[in-house]
Amino acid sequence: MTALLTPAGISVAQASAPGVRGASGVGRAEGGGALGNGLGRLLAEAEGSVERRSASGLRIDQEALAIRDGEGRVLVEVTPREGADRTAYRAELEALGFIVQASDPDAGTLEGFLPLAAVRQVAALRDTGTIAQSLRPHATVGAATSQGVALERIDRVQQAGIDGEGITIGALSDSYDIATTTVTGEPLGIRAADDVASGDLPGAGNPVNPEPVVVLAEPTEEEEGSDEGRAMLQIAHDVAPAAKLCFATAFGGLLTFAQHVRDLADDSGPCAADVVVDDVIYFSEPFFSDSALSDAIDDVAAEGVHYFSSAGNQGHQHSWDAPVRLLPAEEAAAGANLDLADVDPALYSGGLQDMDPGDGTDAAQTITLSEAGGLLNVQWDDPVDLDGPTLGEPLFTATGEITAADPEPSFTFTATSEDVGDLVLFRTDAIPSGTTDLILTVTAPDGTVLAEIDTGSSPELYSTVLPQAGDYTITISGFMGAQGDFTVEVLPVVAPSQVSTDFNLLLFDMEGNFLGAVADINTVTGRPSELVSLAGLPEFQLAISRAGTGPLGATRLRNVLFNDAYFTEYSVSLAPAVFGHATARGATAVGAFDPFRPYLPEYFTSPGGDLQILFDSAGNRLPTPETRRVPQVTAADGGNTTFFAQDTVRDEDTQPNFFGTSAAAPHAAAIAALALQRSGGPGSLSPDDLRRRLERSAFAHDLDPHHSEGTAHGLTITAGGPQGNENSPVPGSMTDPNFFTATNTGTEPLSSITFYGESGSPTALGERFGFLTDGMVFDPRPFDGVAPFRNDGFPFTVGSTSGGLAADSVTASFSEPAAAPAVEGQYRRMTVSFADGLQPGQSVSFGVDRDLAVSGLGGAEEGNGADELGGATFLPSGIPVPFGMAFTAERPGGYPLWGAMTNRLGSGWTPLDGYGLINAERAVLGH
C-alpha cells in the first residue's frame, strides 16, 4: 500500500497486506490510494485487479457513484500543484483526452470527463496536485395544489393580493423536462407543456402567469433525470403564482453546480433570479469547510440574492458524530471481537476509534443495510487541500528496467548530514505511466527496511523524514514477475499536505471476520474523507482506524449514511447530518414538516446544529471558527404535484405527493418571494433581514425534540426517542427497552403507574368528544424482527433499573381494547405495577410499542417518537396544546397522583427544525 505524506517528524509506510488482492480485500484502494473519493477503487474495478464482492457477499459499488459521458469517460476533479503553469497544465490534460466542463479559477481545479485509462497518467503528471472522482449527486427527495398553501397560511397571503409578481425564483435540481419514466419506473406521460395547460406551471395559456419557465441548462443526455426540478417549480407556482420561474441543473459536478448558481443569479442573464433554491447535495462536499459551491452562494447572497437549500433527509438513524478517541488497536479489537489477522497492520498502526459515544468503549459499530444498500460518508476536521503537497526539484533521478535477468534493480540515493530530518518523497513509475505493477522498497543506510510499497500498480510513493545520513537503497521489482521500464526519483517535500490524518474504514462481518478496507491515502488525495457504496449483507461492523502515528491533527469524526444504510448501534438521534453548501453563510437551510396530522417535523429531516466551519474553500484555517446554525427554518413537504412522486393514502385525492426537504425548500423560497413583493420588490430586504423575518414568523414548536416528560408530586416520567418509520428496515425507538423512565423522587412508595394512551398525541387523527383526537394505543403484540414492522408490536420490556429495584418485580397489564382501525392486541391503557413498590430513589426504564390510534395509513401504527406523547401546536390555527398523555400513580393507602407528558412549546431554535414551521401570514403580512 502507498505511503503517506505526513507532517515533518512522522514516518509512515503502509506495507502490502496478506490477502488484499483477493476477495478478502474488497474495497481496498488497489492501484490508487492516492486517487481521491474512491477513484482508485473505480479504476481497480474496471481493471479487475480487485474483487467487488467479498466471499461473505459484501459488495462495493464505486461505479454507482460515477458520472460518465456518452463516451464512457468518467467525471473527475483535477487540481494542479501550487505554482504550476495552469495553461500548460490544462493542455497536458487535454492531450490525454480530458474534456473540461467547469473550473474554479481560485484553486485552479478543473472538472471534466477523462478516459479511465488515462487516470494514472494524469496522476503521474509532475504538476498534478490531486485528482479525485466527482461523485454522483443526491437529490433530497423524498391540477395540483400543495398542502403547504393552507398549512402555512399562504392562502391568506394570496387573498391579500400578494402573489409573487415582480419576483423571480430560480431552482436547481436534477432535470426539468427530460425524464421518460416516473420515480416508480412507469412511463411518464405528463410533460411541462401539460403542466402549463393545467395551470400548474406558468406559460402561454396560463391566465395567471403567461411567462414561460426559463430553462438555462438541462443535464446531459447520459445523466439521469427525474424532473424533480419541475416538481419544485410546481410548488413555487402554487405559493407565488405570479412569480417568474427559472431552472438550471445541479448535476454535472460540483463546479458546474456552482456555475449554475451564478448563472441563475446573474442580473444581466436571462433569469436574474431574486430567490434561488436547490435540493441537491454532493457526497464529496466537506463537513468542516467551505467549498467552491459555498463561495458561489455567498457571492450571490452578497449581491442581494436570497438562497435556500434543502437540509437533507438523513434524520432516521443516519448520523454519528464523536470526538477522535483512538484506542490501542490490538486491545480494542480483542474487546470488540474483531479479527485483525488479515488486516494490513499499517492500516491501524495509529489505533482504532472508540465508536461508543458514551462512557464505554467499543471499536466496532453495527450498520444495517437493506437489499438496495447504502453509502457511508466519513469525514473529519482536517482541511481540504486540493493542490496537495508541495514538492521541490528532484534530489535524485534514474531510469531502469525490470527483466528476467535483473528482476530487482536497485539504486543508491546518498543523503548528507544536512538532509537528516528533511521530509522527502521516494517515487517510482512505469514507462508509460501505470503500465507495470511495481513494488517500491526503501532501505536505510543501517540496513533497516523503511518501506515496501505495493498498491497494485504505479506510480508508487513513499514519504519519510530521513533518519540518518548515508546511502539509501531503492529497489524496484514487479508484482508476480511483472517486467518493464520505469523511473525513480527522490523529491523534497517543501510543504506537506494540510490533511494531517489518514483514517480508514475497516469492514467486518458480525462474527468479527475481516471483509475489506476502504483506504484512500488522505494525506495524498488532499481530502479528509472516506466514502463508499455498499450492499450485499444485511448488517456488518464498521471500525475506523488511523494509519500512522505521531501528533494527531484531527479532533472530530462524523459519519452520515445515505439511502438504506442505518446505524443500529450507537445511533445518536440529533447527531449533525446537515453539511456542505447548506451550511454556507449566505444559505438558508430548510427542514421538512409533515403536513398531515399529527403535526410534527418529518422523521427523516436531517438534524443540524451549531456547526463549526473551520476552513475556507482553499483549505486555510479561519482566524476564528465560524458557527453556522442550521437548519434555520422548516417548511411543509408532502404537497401534491401532477407527476412526482407517489400518492399517499393520508390525503383524500389521488395526485402524487412530493415528500422530502426537496419539497420543503421551494415552499420556503416561494414564501420569501411573497415577502419580497410585499416589502417593495427585489432588493427591498437583505438576505439576512428576510431570513430573520422567516425565523421570527414561525409557529410555536417543540423546543426539546425527541424528548417529553411529566411530573406528579415526586414522580417523574421521561420518554426519549425519534419518530422512526415502521415501514423502514430498522424499527427505531419502537423496540427501545429504555424508551420510558419512571423515577420516584418523592417520599412514598408507588404501587403502580397507569398511562392513558387516548390522551397522547393531541394533534393526531380521530375525534373524541368533538375536539379531542383519538390519541394513541399500546401494542404489546410480538415483534418478529422482519421489516416492515407496521403489523408488529413490541411486548413490555424492562431495560434497566436503579436503587435496588428488581427487574422481575416490574410487570405491565393492558386494558381498554382499542376500537377500529386498531386490531386485537392493541389497547388504550397500560398499567405498570411494582410488586415491592417503586421506592423513593428508585427508577425503572422500560419499552413497549406505541401507535397512533388512527394513523391515516389504514390502521393503528407509527406514533413511536417521544414527541407524540407531549403537547403540540394545532395548524394552521397556531393554537398550542401544552399537555399530552396523562398518567396516574397509585400510593398504598393514599390518593393517586396525576400528571401528563409535556413538550416544551414556544419560540426558539432546535437542531431538528430550526426556528420552526414558517407562518407565511406573519412573515409577509406581519400578523
Side-chain angles (χ1 to χ4, degrees):
M1 175 142 184
T2 310
L4 304 175
L5 284 181
T6 53
I10 307 168
S11 173
V12 181
Q14 295 185 316
S16 180
V20 162
R21 291 179 179 271
S24 65
V26 62
R28 182 73 177 275
E30 294 282 358
L35 307 177
N37 290 344
L39 182 58
R41 291 189 293 277
L42 184 70
L43 192 61
E45 288 176 8
E47 295 173 342
S49 61
V50 65
E51 297 290 337
R52 294 178 60 191
R53 182 186 294 271
S54 73
S56 67
L58 184 67
R59 184 176 72 254
I60 188 169
D61 190 1
Q62 194 68 26
E63 179 63 39
L65 302 177
I67 303 171
R68 293 183 182 267
D69 67 5
E71 302 298 320
R73 291 172 290 220
V74 66
L75 193 68
V76 298
E77 298 172 10
V78 187
T79 306
R81 295 194 186 281
E82 184 177 358
D85 183 328
R86 293 183 179 182
T87 301
Y89 180 67
R90 176 167 175 164
E92 286 186 281
L93 294 179
E94 291 174 338
L96 293 171
F98 187 65
I99 309 297
V100 177
Q101 300 295 301
S103 63
D104 177 4
D106 293 331
T109 302
L110 298 173
E111 185 175 66
F113 290 101
L114 181 69
L116 202 56
V119 166
R120 296 194 194 283
Q121 293 169 277
V122 170
L125 293 175
R126 183 172 298 280
D127 284 334
T128 295
T130 63
I131 177 172
Q133 181 178 341
S134 294
L135 301 180
R136 180 172 293 280
H138 180 78
T140 50
V141 176
T145 299
S146 170
Q147 280 80 348
V149 169
L151 187 79
E152 298 178 81
R153 296 189 179 186
I154 296 165
D155 52 348
R156 303 188 187 192
V157 176
Q158 294 173 347
Q159 291 165 10
I162 307 300
D163 57 7
E165 184 176 2
I167 308 300
T168 300
I169 303 171
L172 294 127
S173 187
D174 60 350
S175 62
Y176 175 72
D177 195 24
I178 68 168
T180 58
T181 61
T182 67
V183 294
T184 57
E186 299 166 349
L188 177 59
I190 300 174
R191 311 307 319 171
D194 300 310
D195 293 336
V196 173
S198 64
D200 291 293
L201 283 176
N206 183 326
V208 176
N209 187 344
E211 185 171 9
V213 174
V214 177
V215 179
L216 296 187
E218 287 272 34
T220 62
E221 293 181 2
E222 294 76 22
E223 293 180 282
E224 299 175 0
S226 65
D227 290 356
E228 191 166 330
R230 176 153 53 106
M232 292 173 67
L233 289 180
Q234 285 190 15
I235 291 172
H237 185 61
D238 285 342
V239 176
K244 174 183 172 182
L245 302 181
C246 307
F247 174 80
T249 183
F251 280 27
L254 192 71
L255 298 185
T256 297
F257 189 174
Q259 184 58 53
H260 287 168
V261 169
R262 299 181 190 276
D263 292 344
L264 284 173
D266 185 356
D267 59 10
S268 63
C271 181
D274 307 297
V275 180
V276 177
V277 59
D278 82 77
D279 74 334
V280 170
I281 186 71
Y282 277 81
F283 299 125
S284 56
E285 292 188 54
F287 292 1
F288 301 96
S289 305
D290 282 323
S291 68
L293 179 54
S294 301
D295 291 346
I297 292 170
D298 291 344
D299 288 347
V300 301
E303 297 297 321
V305 175
H306 305 265
Y307 198 95
F308 293 80
S309 184
S310 56
N313 299 340
Q314 279 61 61
H316 180 40
Q317 295 181 231
H318 280 111
S319 53
W320 172 89
D321 177 87
V324 174
R325 293 191 299 265
L326 293 171
L327 308 170
E330 299 288 352
E331 177 183 338
N337 194 32
L338 302 179
D339 185 355
L340 298 179
D342 289 332
V343 186
D344 177 358
L347 292 177
Y348 59 81
S349 58
L352 299 178
Q353 167 68 18
D354 180 11
M355 308 302 288
D356 184 348
D359 296 333
T361 59
D362 192 345
Q365 180 180 36
T366 301
I367 294 177
T368 294
L369 295 173
S370 75
E371 186 175 342
L375 179 137
L376 283 63
N377 188 350
V378 178
Q379 299 192 29
W380 52 96
D381 58 347
D382 266 339
V384 177
D385 187 6
L386 294 177
D387 60 6
T390 302
L391 304 176
E393 292 300 314
L395 303 173
F396 172 85
T397 60
T399 59
E401 181 182 6
I402 302 171
T403 64
D406 188 7
E408 296 185 357
S410 62
F411 306 84
T412 299
F413 161 63
T414 302
T416 67
S417 58
E418 287 77 16
D419 296 326
V420 175
D422 290 346
L423 184 65
V424 299
L425 174 69
F426 292 82
R427 183 181 189 275
T428 184
D429 194 10
I431 303 174
S433 176
T435 55
T436 305
D437 189 347
L438 302 177
I439 301 173
L440 167 66
T441 304
V442 179
T443 305
D446 64 2
T448 301
V449 176
L450 298 179
E452 182 178 292
I453 307 302
D454 177 19
T455 69
S457 186
S458 62
E460 299 288 9
L461 311 170
Y462 169 63
S463 67
T464 186
V465 172
L466 293 173
Q468 55 191 278
D471 293 339
Y472 288 77
T473 301
I474 306 170
T475 304
I476 310 300
S477 57
F479 178 72
M480 295 187 69
Q483 300 177 16
D485 298 329
F486 60 87
T487 62
V488 176
E489 56 187 350
V490 181
L491 303 107
V493 179
V494 178
S497 167
Q498 295 184 71
V499 178
S500 68
T501 311
D502 183 35
F503 284 113
N504 303 304
L505 311 185
L506 307 182
L507 312 176
F508 299 84
D509 66 19
M510 298 309 294
E511 284 70 47
N513 301 305
F514 181 56
L515 302 175
V518 180
D520 286 354
I521 305 173
N522 311 108
T523 51
V524 177
T525 68
R527 288 161 172 82
S529 60
E530 294 286 356
L531 301 96
V532 64
S533 178
L534 295 171
L537 278 182
E539 57 183 358
F540 65 94
Q541 296 186 86
L542 169 68
I544 299 177
S545 66
R546 181 194 180 196
T549 57
L552 185 64
T555 65
R556 191 154 209 94
L557 279 159
R558 188 170 299 156
N559 189 359
V560 179
L561 307 183
F562 284 81
N563 303 324
D564 275 352
Y566 304 88
F567 292 111
T568 44
E569 187 178 29
Y570 308 130
S571 175
V572 182
S573 67
L574 292 175
V578 181
F579 67 94
H581 67 275
T583 67
R585 296 184 196 92
T588 298
V590 184
F593 197 92
D594 191 344
F596 302 107
R597 296 169 65 175
Y599 300 124
L600 293 166
E602 290 284 14
Y603 73 91
F604 52 72
T605 193
S606 289
D610 286 328
L611 304 184
Q612 295 286 294
I613 303 299
L614 306 176
F615 309 97
D616 66 18
S617 60
N620 301 308
R621 185 176 290 275
L622 299 174
T624 303
E626 293 188 7
T627 298
R628 311 276 175 83
R629 172 168 277 190
V630 291
Q632 287 92 338
V633 292
T634 303
D637 72 341
N640 287 340
T641 71
T642 62
F643 72 98
F644 193 94
Q646 291 180 275
D647 184 42
T648 177
V649 298
R650 298 170 68 194
D651 64 10
E652 296 179 356
D653 58 55
T654 59
Q655 291 178 316
N657 297 85
F658 182 7
F659 284 95
T661 53
S662 286
H667 272 103
I671 292 172
L674 300 179
L676 279 177
Q677 179 195 3
R678 171 72 173 183
S679 295
S684 57
L685 289 171
S686 72
D688 287 344
D689 288 341
L690 179 51
R691 186 181 303 114
R692 282 191 291 268
R693 179 176 291 197
L694 296 178
E695 291 169 352
R696 292 168 181 168
S697 79
F699 294 98
H701 67 134
D702 186 357
L703 298 177
D704 56 352
H706 300 174
H707 175 84
S708 63
E709 66 179 78
T711 59
H713 301 287
L715 171 64
T716 299
I717 307 290
T718 61
Q723 291 298 104
N725 178 5
E726 292 182 357
N727 210 35
S728 81
V730 292
S733 62
M734 167 186 176
T735 57
D736 182 359
N738 296 296
F739 180 83
F740 288 99
T741 298
T743 304
N744 187 350
T745 59
T747 59
E748 298 180 80
L750 303 175
S751 57
S752 66
I753 306 170
T754 298
F755 295 86
Y756 299 84
E758 63 265 36
S759 56
S761 196
T763 61
L765 289 169
E767 293 184 357
R768 293 181 297 113
F769 312 122
F771 67 96
L772 296 175
T773 73
D774 238 12
M776 305 179 67
V777 298
F778 297 100
D779 189 349
R781 294 178 299 162
F783 175 74
D784 64 13
V786 180
F789 307 111
R790 284 181 175 160
N791 294 321
D792 287 3
F794 180 67
F796 176 83
T797 303
V798 174
S800 63
T801 62
S802 70
L805 178 66
D808 59 6
S809 72
V810 184
T811 58
S813 59
F814 299 88
S815 60
E816 301 289 335
V823 298
E824 184 178 357
Q826 293 179 313
Y827 299 91
R828 287 288 193 187
R829 297 176 185 176
M830 174 179 70
T831 298
V832 179
S833 300
F834 307 95
D836 302 317
L838 182 66
Q839 301 295 325
Q842 291 182 334
S843 69
V844 57
S845 295
F846 56 90
V848 65
D849 183 21
R850 307 142 321 271
D851 293 311
L852 296 172
V854 182
S855 69
L857 296 167
E861 53 218 354
E862 298 297 344
N864 292 310
D867 297 337
E868 298 273 15
L869 305 181
T873 299
F874 277 94
L875 298 171
S877 68
I879 298 173
V881 178
F883 299 109
M885 183 181 293
F887 59 86
T888 58
E890 296 294 331
R891 297 178 292 178
Y895 292 105
L897 308 178
W898 180 92
M901 304 296 288
T902 64
N903 288 322
R904 190 160 58 90
L905 303 179
S907 298
W909 176 87
T910 80
L912 183 66
D913 61 349
Y915 286 90
L917 179 70
I918 299 169
N919 179 341
E921 186 178 20
R922 184 177 300 144
V924 178
L925 303 179
H927 57 77

